[in-house]
Amino acid sequence: VLGPGAFVPLAEETGLILPLGRWVLDEAVRQLSVWRKRSLVGPDFKISVNVSVRQMRESDLVEDVRAVLDTHGVPSDCLTIEITESLLVDREIERAGQLEALRALGVSIAVDDFGTGYSGLNYLQRFSIDVLKIDRSFVDGLELPTADVSVVRTVIELARRVGARTVAEGIECQEQFDVL
């Protein structure tokens, strides 16, 4: 079994990320449709799909999302597209208006691994972001008495100010959860 870190960079480099990304999107939404039909999840259950920079630049992601949601009969508000922080500063992505078009479909946008990149705060205001995902590197060690919670506290406050929710990645113990 290979983790994404082992094959995603090669898929990006070779261009295989485009068909792979379409397959992942289709499979995730198809599976959600199955779960919904079997009443295994409630109507408010959301599924998240990571997309790459290359997918945003070189595919018609908006049309792919629209088609997959229609094909599987899943409401758009049940899908969250996760992007990296670096996408927020990509002028090509901004000019193409992909994020705005995805939001216009009713799809939520999440910024994955927030705090590890280099986006300015102005980008959070420029784009309507629904979720800021706090990178696990900021969660690791929160249970320790010497933990510095200032970065996590700042990200949570920032999310509140721009009207976004926060998700913390990598919570591994009750103490980390309690701090968060």
Side-chain angles (χ1 to χ4, degrees):
V1 175
L2 294 176
F7 66 85
V8 168
L10 182 60
E12 285 269 359
E13 184 181 316
T14 62
L16 290 174
I17 196 71
L18 300 176
L20 177 61
R22 278 191 289 279
W23 179 83
V24 168
L25 175 65
D26 184 72
E27 188 61 20
V29 174
R30 183 198 66 76
Q31 187 62 62
L32 178 56
S33 175
V34 169
W35 291 339
R36 287 169 57 94
K37 287 176 185 166
R38 293 181 181 169
S39 299
L40 297 175
V41 297
D44 295 335
F45 186 87
K46 289 180 171 268
I47 197 156
S48 296
V49 176
N50 290 74
V51 297
S52 73
V53 172
R54 194 157 184 182
Q55 282 177 274
M56 291 290 288
R57 283 188 186 145
E58 297 178 23
S59 73
D60 191 353
L61 183 62
V62 177
E63 187 49 43
D64 290 345
V65 167
R66 181 183 290 117
V68 165
L69 291 169
D70 288 347
T71 297
H72 298 294
V74 171
S76 59
D77 63 349
C78 291
L79 178 63
T80 299
I81 295 293
E82 293 190 15
I83 62 171
T84 61
E85 199 172 345
S86 63
L87 273 171
L88 293 178
V89 298
D90 189 311
R91 290 290 189 198
E92 189 176 328
I93 302 298
E94 185 177 357
R95 280 192 301 275
Q98 295 245 45
L99 293 178
E100 292 85 357
L102 287 167
R103 296 263 359 276
L105 280 179
V107 172
S108 297
I109 304 296
V111 178
D112 199 13
D113 301 330
F114 187 77
T116 61
Y118 47 86
S119 68
L121 300 180
N122 60 323
Y123 290 101
L124 292 178
Q125 292 178 319
R126 187 178 304 160
F127 299 108
S128 294
I129 301 299
D130 301 289
V131 180
L132 289 180
K133 293 182 70 181
I134 301 168
D135 187 71
R136 73 180 316 121
S137 64
F138 298 115
V139 173
D140 189 36
L142 280 181
E143 74 281 6
L144 302 174
T146 58
D148 182 2
V149 298
S150 59
V151 171
V152 172
R153 185 175 283 127
T154 300
V155 172
I156 292 169
E157 182 58 30
L158 174 64
R160 283 185 183 138
R161 289 184 186 262
V162 298
R165 296 181 317 277
T166 52
V167 171
E169 297 179 325
I171 300 171
E172 295 181 347
C173 63
Q174 184 66 43
E175 292 81 8
Q176 290 171 336
F177 178 81
D178 292 343
V179 169
L180 289 162

